[in-house]
Amino acid sequence: MNPPSTIDLARISAMDLAHAARLLKGVRDAMLAGQAPRVMPRPVIRESWGRMLTGGVDPEHGSRPRLLNEEELEERRRASPLLEVLPVLREALVSVADAAEHIMVVCDAEGRVLWREGSAAVLRKADTLGFVPGADWTESAVGTNGLGTPLVVRRPVQVFSAEHFVRTHHPWTCAGAPVTDPRDGRLLGVVDVSGPLRTVHPATLSLVDSVAKLAEARLRERHVTALERLRAVAAPILARLEGRALAVDVHGWTAAVTGMPPEDRLALPKSLAAGRTWLPSLGSCRVEPLPGGWLLRLEKPGERPEPLPATRLVLDVSEPRGWTLAMLGGARDWTHELSPRHAELLYLLATHRKGRSASGLAEDMFGDPGRTVTVRAELSRVRRYLGGVLAHRPYRFHEDVEVEVVMPDSPAGLLPHSVAPAIRAARGVAEP
């Protein structure tokens, strides 16, 4: 018997909408009942539904956590880097959304709705759903949706009708794309276009994703401008110094350097303060504040003994996002926030203590043992903050270092953004 086919959203959107909605409702009802549906949901939807079932989300109504009050909402809006690119989002999406009976919605990295604009009629319908500024639109609150699901999987997602886990959202279609900070890869939030079922179009997701990338490009331009300003301040200072020194912004990007080879970016601790500190890629150095960044002056050899390497590593991948690596037991404890790709690589190394070749890691990450150049480039970046703790030939953690992995409560919650075959297998997801 042939396995059931998988839903194709382009074909669904070309169907009679009532028929398409009934088909998706049948798929959802079968999955909730633990039965095999005639047609399988798309993988991103199936995995999201699995998270909802594991997390106990009410499939009929979801939940409505407390709304942010006006003061809390305004504080989040002011603090969000997305405020800088809101004009870009508005110009590209609001006029289109209004004409197509859609609304544009922007949430922060915690899933709180910050802004929404567009069709007045659709805004009124959103009000009845609690889809309002200050609302929590994460998966754990309202199930599979165009804001919360992209926050988890960190890629664009379109959700149509009964692909929404919560039944009250079935009259809607939505398409959302994550926006990340180009300075440090931090997830800033999601931009989404939502509306009634009759407005579904498979090209909407491409539009929203393109606008999200446009917003990231604008943030990148602003970052380059800020680095130029820091360079103008730091260059005269560095010209008067002897020895090795460099100026970096608060994200570790190098603006100017003297006495040493330039490096694009340094790994900085979460909280850096003036005084003496130790950085994995530099060793002991003195830290002085600059407008928009820091001056780092490397200490001369013998001026201060180098710290012992870490003896214990704690890799925390227990949350859907916000993964960390803590290096403990050396002269200075250290916690580093991980990018999605580095979280994947370090998890794989932690589960292969005897080591993994570049081709083996490429197979684990991409299903293609030939993609060793990408793997080696990423591991070169990892070594900037792990130093001698990470060995190679094969790649592995040093045998004298204790490694602890803090896992999520359910295997299904392991790095849910990841499409790496080895991570998907660890989550219990069968490859198609």
Side-chain angles (χ1 to χ4, degrees), residues 20-39:
R22 286 195 301 271
L23 172 63
L24 291 171
K25 181 179 182 299
V27 171
R28 172 183 174 274
D29 291 347
M31 295 289 285
L32 289 178
Q35 301 169 355
R38 183 165 54 89
V39 182

Side-chain angles (χ1 to χ4, degrees), residues 176-249:
V179 181
T180 58
D181 193 328
R183 297 169 296 187
D184 56 12
R186 181 168 52 99
L187 184 61
L188 300 179
V190 168
V191 58
D192 163 270
V193 168
S194 292
L197 284 187
R198 64 180 180 275
T199 63
V200 66
H201 194 287
T204 304
L205 187 63
S206 295
L207 171 64
V208 176
D209 186 32
S210 295
V211 173
K213 287 181 168 58
L214 180 62
E216 292 174 348
R218 186 63 54 86
L219 290 171
R220 191 174 296 109
E221 291 171 5
R222 295 194 175 208
H223 179 223
V224 171
T225 301
L227 273 180
E228 291 292 343
R229 286 197 298 266
L230 177 56
R231 184 174 296 114
V233 172
I237 298 173
L238 292 175
R240 297 193 298 268
L241 295 179
E242 295 182 358
R244 297 175 297 163
L246 67 164
V248 299
D249 70 5

Side-chain angles (χ1 to χ4, degrees), residues 152 154 315-325 336-341 343-344 413-417:
V152 173
R154 294 182 69 107
L315 175 64
D316 190 339
V317 291
S318 61
E319 300 297 327
R321 56 187 181 275
W323 318 281
T324 60
L325 180 71
H336 184 72
E337 294 183 357
L338 299 172
S339 69
R341 180 57 54 80
E344 292 170 332
L414 173 65
L415 301 175
H417 71 280

Side-chain angles (χ1 to χ4, degrees), residues 67-79:
L67 285 175
L68 299 176
N69 61 40
E70 283 298 323
E71 183 178 348
E72 292 170 324
L73 178 59
E74 287 303 318
E75 183 178 347
R76 285 195 183 224
R77 284 171 169 169
R78 287 192 299 269

Side-chain angles (χ1 to χ4, degrees), residues 51 107 111 137-139 143 145-153 190 321:
R51 293 191 294 272
C107 76
W137 223 249
T138 56
E139 280 194 335
N145 71 90
L147 289 171
T149 302
L151 282 176
V152 173
V153 301
V190 168
R321 56 187 181 275

